[in-house]
Amino acid sequence: MRFAIPLLALCLASGHAMARDTVVKVALSDVLAMPEAKEKLDGSVRFFLAGQHTPAIRQKLGSDVSNQKTNAFNKSDEQACRWVILSTLISFQNTAKRHDANAVVDIVSYYKKDEVRDSQTIECHAGAMIAGAAIKGEYAKIGK
């Protein structure tokens, strides 16, 4: 019995230490090409990663962070990450409309408040059961 508590503590600690956190970089264009994106994103709001060419910005309307999670069970890391990034874009679209914005610009990955700028991809973190993406961007009115 006196060995049970240390053994239990060791088992719990080793399970935590072995938690998976795989970084997956997903192209924004791949997310926007998903059939679900074509259904849920209505085209009234456009999305631009930091460093990506953006039409002329007429007005910036504030910044925001979307931190979404999704069930990754029985999905590939790429599939779960595309889905969770789409969830962040839907969240941004809904808020952009309330701000009368037609774009979200300067989008960066923002996992644990660490900005990662990439003009092509968004960073996602995949675990055994959950995938998550934290994204920061600025609402804007852009020219056509």
Side-chain angles (χ1 to χ4, degrees):
M1 183 68 171
R2 65 181 188 184
F3 295 109
I5 292 175
L7 182 59
L8 178 61
L10 180 63
C11 289
L12 291 174
S14 66
H16 180 69
M18 292 174 29
R20 186 166 73 89
D21 182 18
T22 304
V23 176
V24 179
K25 294 194 176 243
V26 178
L28 176 60
S29 59
D30 290 348
V31 175
L32 295 174
M34 294 170 58
E36 296 87 354
K38 294 179 188 313
E39 291 173 16
K40 302 200 182 273
L41 298 174
D42 63 17
S44 65
V45 177
R46 295 174 60 195
F47 302 94
F48 298 93
L49 298 172
Q52 188 177 18
H53 175 72
T54 306
I57 296 172
R58 296 189 321 229
Q59 183 180 9
K60 289 196 175 180
L61 302 165
S63 64
D64 201 1
V65 175
S66 179
N67 186 356
Q68 303 288 320
K69 308 277 188 260
T70 193
N71 178 350
F73 183 71
N74 209 25
K75 296 179 182 113
S76 70
D77 289 351
E78 182 79 18
Q79 182 183 26
C81 284
R82 280 194 311 264
W83 184 256
V84 77
I85 291 169
L86 175 57
S87 295
T88 65
L89 297 180
I90 293 166
S91 174
F92 274 125
Q93 173 185 262
N94 294 339
T95 304
K97 287 179 178 184
R98 289 193 300 272
H99 283 89
D100 198 29
N102 65 354
V104 181
V105 299
D106 294 326
I107 296 172
V108 296
S109 300
Y110 199 60
Y111 185 72
K112 294 186 177 179
K113 298 184 179 180
D114 182 27
E115 281 190 19
V116 176
R117 295 174 173 269
D118 187 315
S119 64
Q120 301 293 316
T121 64
I122 297 171
E123 188 176 280
C124 171
H125 290 255
M129 302 298 282
I130 294 177
I135 298 172
K136 182 172 149 182
E138 291 191 58
Y139 300 111
K141 288 186 180 183
I142 59 170
K144 301 286 178 188

